[in-house]
Amino acid sequence: MCVCVISSNTQIIILYLELIFVFVCRESCLDQPMDSSGVHEVVKYGDSHLPARYYDPDTTEPIIGGLQTMEELLSWKRSEAHPFNVSTVALSPRDPPLSHSPLRTLVSHDMMGGYLDDRFLQGTDSALPYSFYHWHHIDIFNYFTHNMVTIPPAGWTNAGHRHGVLVLGTFITEWTEGAKVCEDFLKDEESYRAVADKLVQICHCYGFDGWLINIENELSVMKTMPLFLRYLTEQIHERVSAGLVLWYDSVVQTGKLHWQNELNQNNRQFFDVCDGFFTNYNWTEQNLEWMKGYSAVQGRQADVYIGVDVFGRGDVVGGMYDTNKALELIRKHNFSAAIFAPGWVYETQEKTEFRHNQDKFWGLLSDHLPLHRHVSSLPFTSTFCQGFGKNFYWRGKIESERTWFDLSAQQIQPQFYTSKEGRAWLKTRACPEHVWSRGSSLLLEGLIPAEHTGTVAARVLSLHVPMASSTLLCLVYKASPGVSVSLENTIQHPNEDKCESLRGDGNNTIRNVSPVSLDAGHDLVSQYTQLCSLHNEKDWTVTCILLEAQGCSLREVSVNISREGEPQDTAFSCRLGQITLVDASSLQLPADRIEGLCIYDVVWFRGSSADSHPPEVLLNATLRWHFKPELASHYRVHWRRLRGPDPRVTGGPLVLVSRAYSHIFRLRELVVPAPPGLLEVLVEPVLRSGFVLPQSQWGRVQLSYSQDHTVGSQ
């Protein structure tokens, strides 16, 4: 749905644009009957016919970039939007809600010009990518580049939304050319509304949450800028749930470009008509002290984001590994913070030590960053994957032996920290080796001293999951010899009397519970392991507990490590591969199956191997299907040869192509037999519950293809 403004007082919601968008994206699918199992193609080699701004011309893989000019923005049509950049993850509710968070944290991701590895919308094989995974520390994520319109790649939106974090794009004009752009679009109401409407449509179409407005040039037409900003904010609020528009401290009320480093009378007219103000970076504590008493701030102090440049450029407080000094002052005066360019740890430090440096940087800030919990329904699962890895693992085994990066694969992140108590210590970190699933496991390592008689407790997840009357919690882990592993959980109910298993003295509605692990032969454990096809997993242990807490919510998951045997100094390690929560009364497979799998936008390339006989043929094509998004965590795409040019050769085995994190996927350079041939593509849903669906519920489509025999087709 898109907003089309007909006049200054009338808005018409043009519903048919939504239908046009769906039609254009699926027009080839519409030629394939819903009950059809296949399609035929004549192999014609040549350049890709797909738009180069959305698909790499050499490989046809989906890519994304920003809009460079006002002409590009005003000519943007939803019917021509990039289907692969639509976010597939709705913004998760969070606890506390953003509106109840007085000390907020915004991250503005400005790194090396932007649109790097993250521009590849189905991921890439980058060996040393940048990733962000400290989501529980931040509230808003802004994707920043110097394109006039910066559209966040869907991977960032998916990862942020999964953790309850708003994701903003950027609208920026700069210097002499920017002044000309502003003069043109601010000349009258019709012009500035046309720009605002396009920004709203782009935001709504791609599923992100709003805009940072950054005007880095002087304005010859000043009076309409606040009107533009007000109108944009109103429209975002109307069309985007939880939408947000922020203004960067740049021009002042006279139209001059004059960074103030504070909110004051010179720039408050912008703050008054939008959702927040992002200050420049050269502030002092005196600026913070003055702003606390400024009338425009009263009642909206959380909406003032004090800018912190992590590179420490200019006369600033902190920066680099001293960024915590700036955060300390900002929180002292009860302001929100805007952390600019934290990719400093990647750009300037040793990239092979990225995880260590990233954890060090955010660990130094953690005392000044209030945590929030994302809210999730059952079933819930996390393998702690950070969206990249040295290999891709599946159930403890290497499935793809290559480096990879795909932010859409990132799952709910744990807490990373180091704690000490006497000689006992514990550290949690991501580990890309010996992984259960995807790219990383959570590694707990530490020491239990001889004199320590209790357990070492690792706080793993902070979340808010409303529980069923009986909830099964299962942990997949691998521990070093000499230690035992148990689970402890923090459970809460707003009314303790209704949380039956947690009744106690006083009014405290939070309780820690440590149920005993169920026997492997317990009926519930047997049902769960059978549904998940978990049988004698090498080196990995599956343990389950039953939480019976009607009307309660799970707030914390902790893992306790205890020593076995005689008291002695015991170093330990424990890899957590997966945590899953399911309704114990619903241990059954859903009846749903993939429907409407179709194949279109086919492009054929010749293979690069000159020695291949017959010569290699490379298939590129888009797949699209329907399946309940609330059931699937992702999909596995397979193919197999049914018939090749030699009819004496039987069909081939099922081969995994890749994984998809949306209901649309681009096959890229798939090597298939020379024509004529017949192949089958299958799409397997991977359920959030971990239950394994039989092939009868997968999607499948056949593609037959033949040689082009027209003149000049060689």
Side-chain angles (χ1 to χ4, degrees), residues 132-176:
F132 180 80
Y133 47 84
H134 290 82
W135 295 102
H136 53 282
H137 280 312
I138 76 168
D139 305 289
I140 303 166
F141 179 89
N142 163 235
Y143 194 79
F144 185 96
T145 76
H146 289 276
N147 293 276
M148 193 184 76
V149 178
T150 298
I151 300 168
W156 286 108
T157 308
N158 290 337
H161 280 184
R162 190 170 281 119
H163 291 84
V165 173
L166 296 172
V167 177
L168 307 183
T170 304
F171 176 70
I172 185 172
T173 60
E174 299 180 277
W175 316 124
T176 303

Side-chain angles (χ1 to χ4, degrees), residues 168-222:
L168 307 183
T170 304
F171 176 70
I172 185 172
T173 60
E174 299 180 277
W175 316 124
T176 303
E177 183 59 33
K180 294 176 183 176
V181 168
C182 289
E183 182 177 4
D184 187 52
F185 91 83
L186 294 172
K187 62 187 176 186
D188 54 39
E189 181 179 7
E190 181 181 2
S191 298
Y192 74 69
R193 287 196 170 205
V195 171
D197 289 341
K198 289 297 182 182
L199 293 175
V200 173
Q201 291 168 20
I202 290 170
C203 182
H204 183 265
C205 173
Y206 289 127
F208 59 98
D209 306 298
W211 296 97
L212 170 67
I213 307 300
N214 186 3
I215 307 299
E216 299 263 10
N217 49 258
E218 297 198 348
L219 295 175
S220 59
V221 182
M222 182 58 207

Side-chain angles (χ1 to χ4, degrees), residues 67-137:
L67 306 181
Q68 307 287 340
T69 67
M70 185 59 68
E71 181 182 4
E72 283 185 85
L73 174 61
L74 293 176
S75 63
W76 185 92
K77 297 181 178 67
R78 180 160 189 159
S79 60
E80 299 173 0
H82 196 343
F84 284 89
N85 199 51
V86 176
S87 171
T88 57
V89 180
L91 179 63
S92 171
R94 44 167 285 172
D95 180 24
L98 185 65
S99 59
H100 290 66
S101 301
L103 301 176
R104 301 171 190 165
T105 305
L106 177 150
V107 159
S108 188
H109 175 61
D110 173 39
M111 197 179 82
M112 302 166 66
Y115 297 118
L116 304 172
D117 293 326
D118 52 10
R119 77 184 185 277
F120 297 103
L121 296 173
Q122 289 186 171
T124 183
D125 59 359
S126 175
L128 296 169
Y130 175 83
S131 180
F132 180 80
Y133 47 84
H134 290 82
W135 295 102
H136 53 282
H137 280 312

